[in-house]
Amino acid sequence: MWTFSSRDRHRIAPQPLGAGLDKAAAGDVSLSARAPRALRRARSARADGMMIAGRTSPRLAQASVIAVWLWSMIELPAELTVDASIVQTFALALSKICLTLLAYAVLMGKGYARKIFLFVCWLSILAIAPDLPLQFRYDRSGFMLSVIECVLKGLTIIAFALPSLEYKVRFDDPAHAEARH
């Protein structure tokens, strides 16, 4: 749809719904009384703390990080019962220490840690899931441990994705767009 001024030669290209929200949220756009309501909402969302980088994660995401960490500690004895060399045991201990530090950083609201944690969760799912049918056939207890781990890590990824989905629906969904004056 084209918007025409009083003269036909001044055509203005249409803006996609939600254009400029990031600039408005960052405070880069002057919001006058004539600015669209979505831009004013984006500014208030920033003021309310919805979009502040480094802010602590929502409770569901925090709970899922704690659940992943706790489950990794619960399955530690099962991982140690496997005949492992001292190098493998050291690698396992080092991985648990790294996971603990990473989970702590995520809970403290570090943006880089959240990205790394979600990447590790995704890689873990990709590494474990293809082996589940074989584990089901030969090691039912290992299968149950792996399924629970995959489910928890998948839910963690979803829990971190939910707030951004709400933001996109709230500001970019045409069904929620308000009439412009």
Side-chain angles (χ1 to χ4, degrees):
M1 181 169 104
W2 291 93
T3 305
F4 294 95
S5 68
S6 59
R7 291 180 234 155
D8 285 325
R9 63 183 174 163
H10 290 43
R11 294 182 183 187
I12 301 171
Q15 294 292 323
L17 190 60
L21 286 179
D22 293 331
K23 288 182 181 179
D28 295 341
V29 175
S30 171
L31 297 177
S32 65
R34 295 180 55 187
R37 288 185 183 177
L39 293 176
R40 291 194 302 268
R41 278 195 199 160
R43 171 57 77 74
S44 68
R46 173 125 175 119
D48 293 342
M50 280 177 53
M51 297 175 53
I52 296 174
R55 182 173 179 240
T56 56
S57 306
R59 290 183 184 172
L60 179 62
Q62 288 179 345
S64 64
V65 169
I66 292 170
V68 167
W69 177 83
L70 189 61
W71 186 254
S72 76
M73 296 303 150
I74 289 172
E75 71 177 357
L76 183 61
E79 292 172 339
L80 289 174
T81 58
V82 177
D83 295 331
S85 68
I86 190 71
V87 174
Q88 291 172 334
T89 304
F90 178 72
L92 182 63
L94 184 63
S95 72
K96 298 302 178 181
I97 291 169
C98 289
L99 180 68
T100 300
L101 294 174
L102 194 57
Y104 179 74
V106 170
L107 293 175
M108 291 298 108
K110 306 295 183 190
Y112 68 89
R114 179 175 48 242
K115 293 173 187 171
I116 294 170
F117 189 81
L118 293 175
F119 181 71
V120 168
C121 285
W122 182 245
L123 282 182
S124 178
I125 291 170
L126 289 177
I128 295 171
D131 196 38
L132 286 176
L134 188 64
Q135 281 186 344
F136 180 76
R137 188 171 187 179
Y138 294 109
D139 183 17
R140 296 287 170 100
S141 61
F143 170 77
M144 290 306 297
L145 291 173
S146 297
V147 165
I148 293 171
E149 182 178 1
C150 285
V151 167
L152 285 175
K153 289 180 178 181
L155 290 176
T156 300
I157 293 169
I158 292 170
F160 276 103
L162 286 178
S164 66
L165 292 176
E166 175 188 344
Y167 175 77
K168 288 187 184 305
V169 167
R170 189 172 186 190
F171 291 117
D172 292 341
D173 189 9
H176 293 93
E178 297 179 26
R180 296 185 187 209
H181 299 293

